[in-house]
Amino acid sequence: MGVFRDMVLKRAAPEQAGIFSGANPSTYNSNDPIVLWIIQVIIIMAMTQFLATIFGRIRQPRVIAEIIGGVFLGPTVMGRIPGFENAIFPVSSWPMLTLTSNIGLVLFLFIIGLEIDGSVIKKNFKASAGISIAGLVIPLGLGAALGVGVYREFTDPSVNFGYFLLFTAVAVGITAFPVLCRILTELKLLDTTVGVVTLAAGVGNDVVGWILLALTVALVNASSGLVALWVLLTAVGYVIFLMFPVKWGYRWLARKTGSLETGTPSTVMMTFTILLVFISAFFTDIIGIHPIFGGFLAGLIIPHTNGYGIAVTEKIEDVVVILLLPLYFALSGLKTNLGLLNDGITWGYTILIIAVAFSAKFFACAATAKLAGFNMRESGAIGSLMSCKGLVELIVLNIGLEANILSTRTFSMFVVHAIILTFVTTPLVLLFYPAKYRSRIIVDDLDGKAIASSQPSTEGDELTNKFALVLDQIDQLPAAMTVTQLLCPATVSGESLDQLSSPSLDEKSLPTVPYKASSPITPPISLTLLRLIELSNRTSAVLKSHLAHSDPVVSVFKTFASLLGGGSKRLKLKVDVDVSSRDEFTAVIKDRVREDGTGMIVIPWASGSNDAAEENETPGVRNPFDGIFTSSESKDQIMHSVIYSEFIRNIFLTAPCDVSLFVDRGPSNSSTASGLGPDSLLVLPFFGGPDDRLALKVLVKICAGHQDVRAVVVRVSKGIHNEKEEDESDKKHIADVFLHNTIAGADTVYGNLNTQTRLASDTADNLIWERYASPTAAARNPSLTSALSRITFETIQSPKPLQSVVDLFSGKRVQSTGKTVVAVLGRSRRMAVEKLDSELRLIMAQRGAAMGSTVRKTLGDVGAALVATGVDASLLVVQTCITGS
């Protein structure tokens, strides 16, 4: 017993020794390799991220940073530092790096397989098939011819000549599909004909390239031709086995667990998926083909229904792309020594490799595209895109190096060629195909017909019928549906009109309207759903971009629009999906609006549930304005809301057309739904100015389109103040009222008004009021007779106009039981008739509440007052165009 205890202690002692015992953590220990491995990982990740930040600023894909980072850490740069390679990347530690990097590579090839969408090839088969074939056959032939010279000059005669030509041909002929996807997404080409056709050609090129590489590896690993035949036949059988019974079984299990319906894989499905990936990799490895092919094949069978494939990618991509994949590039860099390119002949052949590889791809694909009907610029862009290299070629080269087909010198020459061709792809595409020459694909409407762009709306009394609805978050979908229902005219039938209820306000304010079945019907609206998807460095973002046609948010809204639109009789829908970084959202909206001739941008904003409001209730506030009103919200909620409001204010400032913001504050306390119904009520406090005039047009248009909606329009003017001083307690709070939670950016600044501009605005106010509110308005506007008969026009003069507006919304007249109240407001951040900021501060001080300045900057003074006082109403805030079209 004592001997056994001594043996255990003797073995355990070295494992417990650490830096306190004088151990060097950078010394490689085969029994405990994780210490040095962690050091290597930290250095590799730091180098990759540093270079990715630099190259990202010049719009280069991340793979450039990963390849160059690996070269820097190898003998070319850092390896020249005495002792660096032996201390950090000793050869004895390479097996651990190889193991972990191969795990990452198998998982990454699984993600690549997920990216391939067969429907893309089917939709663009005619145009892409020729480009894909030409982009393979000609480069393969020229690559083989190039390999003859390289073999004779740099390769040992003991290397099989045929195998060497196969590797050089595949290296020259293959296109890096993951890099191609990334470049197409970053350059916003996925919604152009060039982008779609190139993507389809890249898919075909990528699949054939992997088949050729598998064939090459099988031939290299086989000891005889008969063995190679068995390998290939087994591989074909395995592909058939995966594509049919395994794929069917996987989809059955995904449905059984409910994962396919929800679009989110359960724990059981993720376990099964990961096992499938590694079992597939194991099988392809033991039959004599590289394990990466197993991962690739496993990715091909994953369904994309309801975004399921994207959800699977999101669960594994960060660990793979950030941690494991850079290890593979680092290993490639450790095997690359640019110092071996030390004479003119070597550099001459390196330049020749670059020239042949680029020319073979570029001219073959560009010429085929030209024959297919593309113009010179589009053909040049397609040729440039198809010539990009990257990860795929590095995999080919590493397999050749491991098989001793390529020497370190030839390996380094081809690595330089891959870096150069990938680096020049983006600049060449921008040179051949700048944004002004691009033709975007028109997305079909609900009937499957293309919607032609109309001209921008002109100034006048009539409001535009062409809207653009901005939707960038799924939680804004309910608000988007509500505001669409608000703007879309309702179908009028005799039966529905006979069933309308009695007036919802008191008889004095809103008399019963004698509805007629022959009431004029508002023409249908044309709505462009501008779906914005944020582009990040994640692979799932790229996957979302070229699967945008199946975006669940778009699918849900299209279903809603088809039910609402009555077969395009009321609503003509066009879908426009754009994938870009969040910083570019405002510019994208501006460009799309100009292209389509949109008359008004509509921005939905849901402000949270009532439950959240109750939990975070501040005195005097029923429903917080998304965290930027109350002091009890978390900092994360506040920051998110402030950032989103900055986005909204940027749209207000830069949009080349009118803008409306719909703040959906959820169902009221007395109603069960926030949408329009028989008891819906629109209320407009009309102070005057261009925004209030637009708000009045919007209100009249909504009433004209909905025979069961009533409205109250109150013209508010400021009376003579009694000069009574505020209470000292109010003064004490007023100064600090807008300081609480004020972390927003700068406010929108407008130019000062002059007397002439003020007089012109006042005249326009009087004219539009006379047009709609005078007793003879209905006679002068026969098309609006029914709408005007359901609108009550009043005038209020008060020394405290903002308080009068709050009292109007808070009173019984508006807050009747069962009412769905929508406040239609002018933003009035410019040319406001009344200065209301002081009164708003006073109202806030009297209620003892604090409000971030973001609310006022976004909604205007009237909207901020309604939110601050907890008025039970949604808000529709409008602003006229402030930029030239």
Side-chain angles (χ1 to χ4, degrees):
M1 191 69 176
V3 175
F4 177 75
R5 183 184 60 186
D6 293 341
M7 290 176 62
V8 170
L9 292 175
K10 183 178 180 181
R11 181 173 180 176
E15 295 184 2
Q16 298 299 322
I19 57 174
F20 298 105
S21 301
N24 184 358
S26 64
T27 301
Y28 179 73
N29 180 3
S30 59
N31 294 324
D32 187 22
I34 192 171
V35 177
L36 182 58
W37 183 81
I38 292 175
I39 295 174
Q40 294 170 341
V41 166
I42 292 172
I43 294 174
I44 293 169
M45 290 178 62
M47 175 66 76
T48 300
Q49 189 57 48
F50 173 72
L51 293 176
T53 303
I54 295 175
F55 287 112
R57 295 184 179 275
I58 56 176
R59 308 183 75 171
Q60 290 295 334
R62 183 181 177 89
V63 67
I64 287 287
E66 292 169 333
I67 296 174
I68 295 179
V71 173
F72 276 12
L73 292 175
T76 303
V77 181
M78 301 294 287
R80 296 182 180 274
I81 300 175
F84 175 83
E85 189 169 345
N86 289 331
I88 305 300
F89 295 104
V91 177
S92 57
S93 69
W94 286 19
M96 184 67 175
L97 278 176
T98 302
L99 174 62
T100 50
S101 66
N102 280 335
I103 291 174
L105 194 60
V106 168
L107 292 173
F108 187 73
L109 264 292
F110 167 71
I111 295 175
I112 292 178
L114 265 172
E115 286 184 334
I116 293 179
D117 184 8
S119 62
V120 175
I121 301 179
K122 295 177 183 178
K123 292 178 182 178
N124 306 276
F125 180 78
K126 290 183 179 180
S128 62
I131 296 173
S132 182
I133 293 172
L136 266 175
V137 175
I138 297 176
L140 286 173
L142 291 178
L146 176 67
V148 175
V150 176
Y151 179 86
R152 291 176 178 173
E153 189 69 36
F154 300 103
T155 306
D156 190 286
S158 61
V159 175
N160 187 290
F161 179 68
Y163 295 165
F164 184 86
L165 294 188
L166 274 175
F167 271 100
T168 56
V170 173
V172 171
I174 202 165
T175 295
F177 181 72
V179 181
L180 177 64
C181 289
R182 187 74 202 182
I183 293 174
L184 287 172
T185 305
E186 290 184 346
L187 298 185
K188 304 188 191 317
L189 292 174
L190 284 173
D191 59 352
T192 65
T193 306
V194 168
V196 172
V197 170
T198 306
L199 184 67
V203 170
N205 199 300
D206 193 59
V207 172
V208 176
W210 287 114
I211 293 173
L212 290 175
L213 183 57
L215 172 64
T216 304
V217 173
L219 291 175
V220 170
N221 291 337
S223 57
S224 65
L226 183 61
V227 173
L229 179 62
W230 277 112
V231 170
L232 294 177
L233 290 176
T234 306
V236 170
Y238 181 66
V239 170
I240 296 173
F241 174 69
L242 272 182
M243 291 300 154
F244 293 99
V246 175
K247 184 176 182 178
W248 294 336
Y250 188 94
R251 291 185 69 92
W252 176 84
L253 185 60
R255 288 196 189 96
K256 194 72 174 177
T257 58
S259 300
L260 207 57
E261 293 181 3
T262 61
T264 304
S266 63
T267 304
V268 173
M269 286 309 303
M270 281 306 301
T271 303
F272 183 78
T273 301
I274 293 174
L275 286 174
L276 174 66
V277 172
F278 286 111
I279 291 173
S280 183
F282 168 78
F283 184 80
T284 55
D285 189 37
I286 63 172
I287 66 173
I289 305 178
H290 202 282
I292 61 174
F293 296 103
F296 177 75
L297 293 172
L300 292 176
I301 71 171
I302 304 300
H304 294 148
T305 307
N306 294 331
Y308 177 85
I310 297 174
V312 171
T313 304
E314 289 175 337
K315 288 185 175 294
I316 64 175
E317 64 178 333
D318 282 348
V319 173
V320 175
V321 176
I322 297 175
L323 174 62
L324 299 178
L325 196 60
L327 302 183
Y328 186 81
F329 289 103
L331 269 177
S332 298
L334 293 174
K335 301 169 186 176
T336 304
N337 187 358
L338 300 186
L340 297 177
L341 311 183
N342 53 5
D343 55 46
I345 295 177
T346 305
W347 276 110
Y349 268 96
T350 302
I351 296 173
L352 181 63
I353 292 171
I354 296 171
V356 170
F358 176 77
S359 301
K361 277 282 187 182
F362 178 83
F363 289 109
C365 296
T368 307
K370 189 69 174 67
L371 293 175
F374 291 93
N375 60 39
M376 290 299 295
R377 286 189 174 275
E378 293 171 336
S379 301
I382 291 173
S384 302
L385 287 165
M386 292 296 291
S387 65
C388 71
K389 302 297 180 182
L391 171 65
V392 178
E393 181 165 1
L394 273 189
I395 294 173
V396 174
L397 297 177
N398 273 283
I399 292 175
L401 184 64
E402 293 171 2
N404 294 319
I405 302 297
L406 302 178
S407 65
T408 304
R409 184 189 296 267
T410 53
F411 177 82
S412 302
M413 291 163 60
F414 276 97
V415 167
V416 172
H417 137 260
I419 294 174
I420 297 298
L421 290 191
T422 306
F423 192 88
V424 301
T425 300
T426 298
L428 283 176
V429 173
L430 292 175
L431 176 65
F432 280 109
Y433 202 46
K436 61 181 179 180
Y437 293 107
R438 296 175 187 174
S439 57
R440 299 175 59 245
I441 298 175
I442 301 296
V443 184
D444 292 341
D445 66 1
L446 294 177
D447 292 332
K449 301 176 181 178
I451 300 176
S453 297
S454 64
Q455 295 298 321
S457 58
T458 56
E459 290 295 331
D461 291 327
E462 297 302 324
L463 189 68
T464 180
N465 282 324
K466 191 169 180 61
F467 300 89
L469 178 67
V470 178
L471 191 58
D472 68 317
Q473 299 176 14
I474 193 170
D475 57 355
Q476 309 299 348
L477 198 54
M481 293 179 177
T482 302
V483 72
T484 302
Q485 182 188 11
L486 197 68
L487 297 173
C488 182
T491 302
V492 180
S493 64
E495 180 182 358
S496 62
L497 293 177
D498 293 337
Q499 295 173 352
L500 288 175
S501 60
S502 59
S504 54
L505 296 182
D506 57 67
E507 295 296 331
K508 293 182 180 180
S509 60
L510 283 181
T512 303
V513 180
Y515 292 113
K516 297 180 181 180
S518 60
S519 299
I521 302 176
T522 303
I525 68 169
S526 177
L527 180 69
T528 298
L529 175 63
L530 183 52
R531 171 72 170 119
L532 302 178
I533 300 176
E534 184 176 4
L535 174 64
S536 65
N537 289 323
R538 289 180 167 86
T539 305
S540 57
V542 181
L543 189 59
K544 289 176 184 177
S545 64
H546 67 267
L547 295 178
H549 59 276
S550 59
D551 178 62
V553 175
V554 172
S555 300
V556 170
F557 191 86
K558 287 178 70 174
T559 302
F560 162 77
S562 65
L563 296 174
L564 179 67
S568 299
K569 295 178 181 178
R570 301 161 57 195
L571 173 64
K572 295 181 179 180
L573 179 66
K574 172 184 172 183
V575 178
D576 193 348
V577 181
D578 194 283
V579 183
S580 56
S581 63
R582 184 162 291 276
D583 294 339
E584 297 177 341
F585 276 4
T586 304
V588 168
I589 294 170
K590 182 178 178 180
D591 292 341
R592 297 294 182 265
V593 165
R594 288 187 185 276
E595 292 174 6
D596 294 341
T598 301
M600 177 178 283
I601 298 172
V602 182
I603 313 168
W605 192 358
S607 63
S609 65
N610 291 333
D611 294 339
E614 293 171 2
E615 293 175 3
N616 300 289
E617 193 167 347
T618 297
V621 183
R622 182 190 68 82
N623 192 3
F625 189 75
D626 237 357
I628 52 179
F629 176 71
T630 62
S631 59
S632 57
E633 296 288 346
S634 70
K635 291 183 179 179
D636 289 341
Q637 290 173 310
I638 294 172
M639 181 59 69
H640 172 76
S641 298
V642 168
I643 292 174
Y644 193 72
S645 67
E646 284 280 352
F647 165 62
I648 293 172
R649 294 204 303 278
N650 283 332
I651 298 176
F652 274 126
L653 182 61
T654 62
C657 65
D658 301 336
V659 182
S660 62
L661 168 65
F662 180 70
V663 182
D664 184 10
R665 306 186 71 195
S668 64
N669 289 330
S670 54
S671 67
T672 58
S674 59
L676 290 182
D679 297 319
S680 299
L681 177 66
L682 308 181
V683 182
L684 166 60
F686 185 88
F687 286 87
D691 293 351
D692 279 13
R693 294 195 294 271
L694 177 62
L696 181 54
K697 294 178 186 178
V698 171
L699 180 140
V700 172
K701 183 177 180 66
I702 293 173
C703 288
H706 297 270
Q707 302 292 337
D708 53 358
V709 172
R710 300 172 179 273
V712 175
V713 181
V714 179
R715 189 169 189 179
V716 186
S717 59
K718 192 170 185 178
I720 300 175
H721 199 279
N722 58 11
E723 301 294 336
K724 182 179 179 180
E725 297 292 331
E726 295 92 346
D727 293 337
E728 291 298 323
S729 59
D730 292 340
K731 287 184 176 180
K732 181 179 179 181
H733 294 293
I734 286 177
D736 297 327
V737 136
F738 286 114
L739 297 179
H740 191 75
N741 287 347
T742 304
I743 57 177
D747 193 8
T748 306
V749 179
Y750 303 100
N752 295 326
L753 299 178
N754 53 40
T755 303
Q756 182 179 0
T757 308
R758 173 68 70 187
L759 288 174
S761 181
D762 291 343
T763 302
D765 292 342
N766 294 329
L767 289 175
I768 196 170
W769 186 263
E770 178 69 16
R771 170 179 167 80
Y772 293 126
S774 67
T776 60
R780 294 198 305 267
N781 302 276
S783 62
L784 299 177
T785 301
S786 176
L788 294 177
S789 65
R790 286 176 279 112
I791 304 175
T792 299
F793 292 91
E794 298 179 358
T795 302
I796 293 178
Q797 191 176 34
S798 171
K800 295 184 178 181
L802 201 56
Q803 184 62 55
S804 298
V805 171
V806 172
D807 292 342
L808 171 67
F809 278 91
S810 303
K812 293 183 179 179
R813 184 182 179 201
V814 171
Q815 297 297 334
S816 301
T817 58
K819 298 294 179 188
T820 299
V821 182
V822 178
V824 184
L825 312 170
R827 185 168 179 250
S828 298
R829 298 294 288 161
R830 64 184 182 116
M831 298 182 69
V833 175
E834 305 288 354
K835 283 185 63 66
L836 303 173
D837 53 337
S838 298
E839 188 181 355
L840 176 61
R841 292 172 183 268
L842 179 61
I843 291 174
M844 293 297 302
Q846 290 173 341
R847 292 176 177 267
M851 178 171 64
S853 62
T854 299
V855 181
R856 177 172 170 259
K857 291 177 181 179
T858 306
L859 302 182
D861 291 331
V862 180
L866 297 181
V867 172
T869 54
V871 168
D872 191 10
S874 296
L875 310 180
L876 181 62
V877 184
V878 300
Q879 175 187 277
T880 56
C881 175
I882 64 173
T883 63
S885 59

